[in-house]
Amino acid sequence: MGTRSRFGIENSDGTITSVYHHWDGYPSWLGMRLVENYNDEEKIRKVMEKGDISSLESDQDWNFKQLPNKTVRYYSERGEDTPSQTSKNFSEFMNLTQNCGGEYAYLFKDGKWHCYINSDSPKEINIE
């Protein structure tokens, strides 16, 4: 089972562009990797270009063959059409998170990552 999540970036017009992330979506794994490796707008937009993600750091291909280096595993690599989505506001972004069964949502805004526990009343928590 995966710990489903969604991560995205707030755009200048207040909309949010985001992708689904299937595995290890909890703050001590995905949250820390976002903070450590995707800490500016260019890197975030680049990793979201190919759409929804199975794992941000996978050491296996889609046939479970071991890879020499960890890589982003995109659903588009196996022919699925799962582009990033743009929400008109935070509430819609959280609805997308809930619709995918996401337990956590990560939003890059104001130059840093924010993590939310997905519930009827989302609560922001620290990523550490």
Side-chain angles (χ1 to χ4, degrees):
M1 288 220 23
T3 303
R4 298 176 184 104
S5 61
R6 186 159 205 93
F7 69 86
I9 187 169
E10 186 176 65
N11 301 308
S12 60
D13 63 359
T15 61
I16 297 169
T17 301
S18 66
V19 295
Y20 167 74
H21 184 275
H22 187 76
W23 291 103
D24 299 325
Y26 45 90
S28 62
W29 195 89
L30 178 60
M32 292 307 298
R33 277 150 184 82
L34 291 171
V35 167
E36 292 169 358
N37 302 313
Y38 300 93
N39 48 21
D40 67 53
E41 184 175 339
E42 183 178 340
K43 289 177 183 178
I44 297 162
R45 293 194 187 282
K46 179 80 174 155
V47 78
M48 293 193 315
E49 277 181 345
K50 296 180 182 178
D52 291 349
I53 297 170
S54 174
S55 178
L56 200 57
E57 290 183 10
S58 179
D59 60 0
Q60 297 176 346
D61 68 14
W62 284 107
N63 297 313
F64 304 104
K65 179 181 174 192
Q66 198 69 25
L67 298 172
N69 299 307
K70 291 182 179 181
T71 186
V72 179
R73 183 64 51 229
Y74 294 97
Y75 287 104
S76 59
E77 294 171 338
R78 63 179 189 186
E80 294 183 37
D81 184 23
T82 58
S84 63
Q85 295 185 26
T86 300
S87 307
K88 60 184 174 189
N89 54 37
F90 180 77
S91 179
E92 194 173 282
F93 167 66
M94 292 307 295
N95 284 339
L96 282 175
T97 304
Q98 188 168 16
N99 291 342
C100 74
E103 296 177 46
Y104 299 97
Y106 299 90
L107 179 59
F108 190 81
K109 66 177 185 175
D110 303 324
K112 67 177 189 170
W113 284 104
H114 300 264
C115 177
Y116 303 90
I117 295 175
N118 188 24
S119 66
D120 290 337
S121 187
K123 179 182 175 188
E124 186 169 1
I125 60 172
N126 287 329
I127 303 172
E128 290 180 21

